[in-house]
Amino acid sequence: MTSTASTPGTAGTPGTAAAPRTFAQKALERASGESGLAPGRIVDAYPDLYMSHTASWRCIRTLERMGADRLYDPDRVAMVMDHISPAMNAKTAADHRLCREFADRMGIKNFFDVNAGIAHIVLMENGLVRPGQFIIGTDSHSTIYGALGAFGTGVGFSEITAAWVTGKLWVKVPESVRIEIDGELPVGSYAKDVMLKLIGDLGADGLTYCSAEFTGSYVTSRSVSERMTFCNLAMEMGAKNAYVAPDATTLAYLHDEAGVPADGYEVLLPDEGAVYRDVVRLDGSALTPQIAVPHTVDNVVGVAEVSGTRLDQVFIGSCANAKYDDLAIAAEVLAGHKVARGVRLVVTPASSAVMAKASATGVLATLIEAGAMITNAGCGACAGNGGAMADGEATLSTANRNFQGRMGSYESRIYLGSPATAAASAITGVITDPAEVLAQAPRSAAAGSAGPGRPEGAAS
Amino acid sequence: MTTAPETRVGGKTITFGDDVNTDVIIPGRYLVSIDPVELAEHAFEPLGPEVQKELKASRVVVAGRNFGCGSAREQAASCLTGAGVRAVVATSFSRVFFRNAINTGLVAVECPQAVDALAAAGGRGEMWVDYDQGTVETAGGTFGFAPYPQGLREILQDGGLIPHLMRSFAQEGTVR
């Protein structure tokens, strides 16, 4: 269904009543200093933050090749050693050392070492992502920064290097698509299922070059963590950036968890009457758990269609679904159960802060008692760093990609689902609807048998 | 730098379908390298040695919708350059792949008509792109495409973003 927003004739003329603008228009006007930017315009924009992950060494080598040794603004540089952590061989150890020494030499304060976790989550937890900002990162899932009302987008390492030196890059102002999600989800379905459903419906290029604005009663009732899942997975439809309008939930996160002062940012909201390419509506109350089957993320089916598929491994990790509440949901499902014989359950917390909280609340103990293997925080198996599969094996993963060969053998298969589906499937050893496990053992009873009780912050 | 850059590139084609992702183009395990020639050894490895052999004998990658979807890895573009590919002509690109292609000096053109024409002609043969003229020539005809904005054309002419910046710094006499 397409929107019918009004478009007054004097679009963006300074001094007159400006045309209503989307979030993306406002964010890029702020970052470029220009006004009246219509979709399709190409402008030079100045990012507030340049994130580089394990690719940082590539940027440093590129900087050396340029013969440049001055940065536009070291305070806008953030480096996180997440994709390969800890180092797996001498080459990657040398790459990490190069980054450490470079950060020291250049006075880069925002350097996060191999212990920190996944860049996106770490930057948000540390108050480096703020509403209204324009952020680029050497990672396609930089769309996730929209969870806090920022414009985040992925670029290659040459572009980050160029921004280090010049402070800017060219950007095309995107068209926007509004995604309205309403209704309460049935038991067993979560934010991940909503996104897989959308990806299946719209396709892997359904939002290419677009700014995806998420709204609706379901979205606005969700935590920042779940908003991260929405904005992260928007990338799997080709989105340039994603966005949830900052509200009281956002501001509470910024203040209480990220330590951002209230005067440290500018909230940008879309105008009433702004023009959208499309409006997509989804009724959450009709949802069932969804699975992306090999080898593309938009190859999505209801869990019933693939339930019973044998698994060799279950991976709970990635910037899509390894935040505290994701681990808590998994623990809730696994409490009092054991992982099926012959199945390895690998849990990789998104950040060291997530890991510490999960340790303090007993979530980690519940997972370990069930038979899970907890790794250090980071990208882990999603980036092919551990958790590999042999020929013919299958993994159910909470990550955001199921591309051929991403986790080991080119002859292995990756299925994507929610943390609850992952946990339920780890118990049975086959793809399983989590509602079945949750129904079997009433939540209070399951929690009671597992010592620490129902994890704080688990599924609402 | 003084000779006029070649804006017409092309030759033998290799064709792919829709949604070819970055992990298939260059698997994550090889991102420890940024050398295009080294990376080219592993380009399209998941699809097997026959495809890899054909790639190395080709100059133009022809693909359907959403070529290069997935990761922001720049090596998805540079591994093709390393394999001798001069241009990618697709029905459409993922946005990060498109940026990475231009930034590494790889001509990337959206021209669904040319993709369809080559398919109609049996899917094999040559294709030539002139990014200055904005044309794609292949069996079955010559097709136009929306020309690049000037800024992008300059990046391509200089062989990519980094050489382009180095050249502009040299011209400005900027010491950085």
Side-chain angles (χ1 to χ4, degrees):
Chain A
M1 184 179 271
T2 303
S3 71
T4 52
S6 62
T7 47
T10 53
T13 309
T16 66
R21 293 169 296 161
T22 61
F23 163 73
Q25 287 172 289
K26 289 188 177 183
L28 293 179
E29 286 181 7
R30 177 187 166 277
S32 66
E34 301 208 27
S35 57
L37 291 185
R41 267 281 299 280
I42 292 179
V43 289
D44 279 341
Y46 289 77
D48 297 276
L49 194 69
Y50 334 120
M51 183 282 282
S52 53
H53 52 50
T54 303
S56 298
W57 70 268
R58 300 169 203 157
C59 304
I60 298 167
R61 293 298 185 210
T62 306
L63 196 74
E64 289 169 357
R65 190 178 131 213
M66 291 173 73
D69 61 0
R70 240 184 41 211
L71 302 183
Y72 175 81
D73 182 359
D75 289 350
R76 298 189 193 208
V77 176
M79 293 184 179
V80 191
M81 305 293 104
D82 60 1
H83 274 53
I84 304 171
S85 63
M88 62 177 174
N89 53 32
K91 162 72 167 72
T92 50
D95 292 341
H96 291 154
R97 184 174 61 191
L98 178 74
C99 297
R100 249 174 239 129
E101 291 176 353
F102 178 82
D104 268 354
R105 191 170 73 247
M106 304 303 273
I108 294 165
K109 294 178 298 192
N110 299 315
F111 177 82
F112 298 91
D113 218 319
V114 290
N115 61 327
I118 307 173
H120 303 309
I121 311 301
V122 170
L123 297 190
M124 288 193 270
E125 287 171 345
N126 282 275
L128 290 168
V129 176
R130 301 174 181 199
Q133 288 185 330
F134 174 45
I135 300 174
I136 57 173
T138 55
D139 191 280
S140 59
H141 293 112
S142 301
T143 54
I144 194 172
Y145 305 133
L148 294 176
F151 186 114
T153 196
V155 297
F157 65 82
S158 289
E159 287 202 282
I160 291 287
T161 314
W164 280 2
V165 177
T166 66
K168 65 182 180 181
L169 83 166
W170 65 267
V171 202
K172 187 159 87 172
V173 181
E175 291 187 301
S176 296
V177 172
R178 198 165 67 200
I179 299 169
E180 298 179 1
I181 309 164
D182 290 294
E184 287 281 318
L185 304 194
V187 171
S189 292
Y190 299 87
K192 179 61 157 287
D193 301 298
V194 168
M195 290 310 299
L196 288 177
K197 174 72 180 154
L198 280 170
I199 296 166
D201 287 354
L202 300 182
D205 61 354
L207 298 179
T208 294
Y209 285 104
C210 287
S211 169
E213 289 187 13
F214 289 94
T215 185
S217 62
Y218 169 71
V219 171
T220 55
S221 70
R222 298 291 91 193
S223 67
V224 167
S225 169
E226 289 160 291
R227 297 174 187 191
M228 290 181 195
T229 301
F230 305 145
C231 293
N232 181 288
L233 286 157
M235 200 287 137
E236 299 309 322
M237 295 174 274
K240 180 171 199 151
N241 70 290
Y243 171 79
V244 177
D247 57 12
T249 303
T250 323
L251 304 193
Y253 177 93
L254 289 165
H255 182 267
D256 302 342
E257 304 202 31
V260 178
D263 60 357
Y265 52 87
E266 180 192 359
V267 170
L268 299 179
L269 300 173
D271 289 329
E272 189 77 29
V275 179
Y276 292 88
R277 191 193 75 180
D278 290 300
V279 177
V280 176
R281 295 189 174 88
L282 183 73
D283 175 10
S285 66
L287 200 67
T288 58
Q290 304 285 300
I291 303 285
V293 305
H295 293 292
T296 61
V297 189
D298 61 354
N299 199 3
V300 176
V301 298
V303 67
E305 271 190 55
V306 284
S307 65
T309 303
R310 225 184 69 74
L311 298 170
D312 301 283
Q313 181 171 261
V314 172
F315 173 60
I316 299 177
S318 89
C319 48
N321 280 113
K323 295 153 278 125
Y324 176 76
D325 62 331
D326 297 318
L327 304 194
I329 289 164
E332 185 188 0
V333 175
L334 279 157
H337 293 280
K338 290 284 180 197
V339 172
R341 191 178 168 78
V343 173
R344 58 250 190 209
L345 170 59
V346 180
V347 179
T348 301
S351 71
S352 56
V354 165
M355 201 164 184
K357 185 173 176 185
S359 173
T361 60
V363 162
L364 287 191
T366 302
L367 295 172
I368 292 166
E369 281 164 26
M373 165 190 195
I374 314 290
T375 78
N376 63 295
C379 300
C382 182
N385 192 24
M389 285 186 282
D391 285 356
E393 288 195 327
T395 288
L396 191 132
S397 163
T398 66
N400 33 34
R401 299 236 162 96
N402 60 350
F403 297 156
Q404 186 183 0
R406 192 168 167 95
M407 294 173 70
S409 166
Y410 297 140
E411 306 303 322
S412 63
R413 289 163 295 136
I414 305 170
Y415 296 82
L416 304 179
S418 75
T421 304
S425 303
I427 296 167
T428 58
V430 296
I431 294 178
T432 299
D433 184 339
E436 290 171 18
V437 178
L438 290 167
Q440 260 174 34
R443 290 176 183 199
S444 53
S449 66
R454 189 183 174 194
E456 171 202 332
S460 55
Chain B
M1 294 277 186
T2 49
T3 53
E6 183 60 79
T7 63
R8 184 175 181 271
V9 296
K12 188 178 172 301
T13 56
I14 178 171
T15 57
F16 296 93
D18 293 339
D19 297 320
V20 174
N21 68 62
T22 49
D23 290 56
V24 165
I25 300 172
I26 184 73
R29 66 199 68 168
Y30 299 116
L31 302 182
V32 289
S33 172
I34 51 173
D35 173 15
V37 175
E38 199 177 308
L39 288 161
E41 290 302 311
H42 305 287
F44 290 107
E45 195 174 272
L47 303 186
E50 287 304 311
V51 173
Q52 291 187 282
K53 202 172 138 195
E54 193 186 344
L55 178 77
K56 284 192 176 165
S58 303
R59 292 293 166 267
V60 181
V61 167
V62 181
R65 282 168 55 163
N66 205 25
F67 185 81
C69 62
S71 156
R73 63 189 65 165
E74 191 168 306
Q75 291 98 322
S78 60
C79 75
L80 299 181
T81 311
V85 170
R86 301 297 308 278
V88 186
V89 178
T91 305
S92 64
F93 292 105
S94 87
R95 58 161 286 280
V96 191
F97 180 86
F98 179 79
R99 291 187 82 98
N100 284 335
I102 303 299
N103 288 333
T104 56
L106 174 65
V107 174
V109 166
E110 289 188 348
C111 188
Q113 300 88 341
V115 174
D116 292 345
L118 185 71
R124 293 192 173 271
E126 294 200 348
M127 193 176 275
W128 289 82
V129 179
D130 190 321
Y131 67 84
D132 198 41
Q133 299 285 319
T135 56
V136 179
E137 301 160 49
T138 191
T142 298
F143 306 91
F145 64 89
Y148 293 124
Q150 185 57 27
L152 271 61
R153 198 182 307 201
E154 286 170 9
I155 292 172
L156 265 184
Q157 282 172 347
D158 288 342
L161 177 63
I162 298 302
H164 174 67
L165 283 179
M166 290 167 73
R167 186 176 141 105
S168 52
F169 293 159
Q171 280 175 347
E172 292 165 13
T174 320
V175 179
R176 283 176 189 264

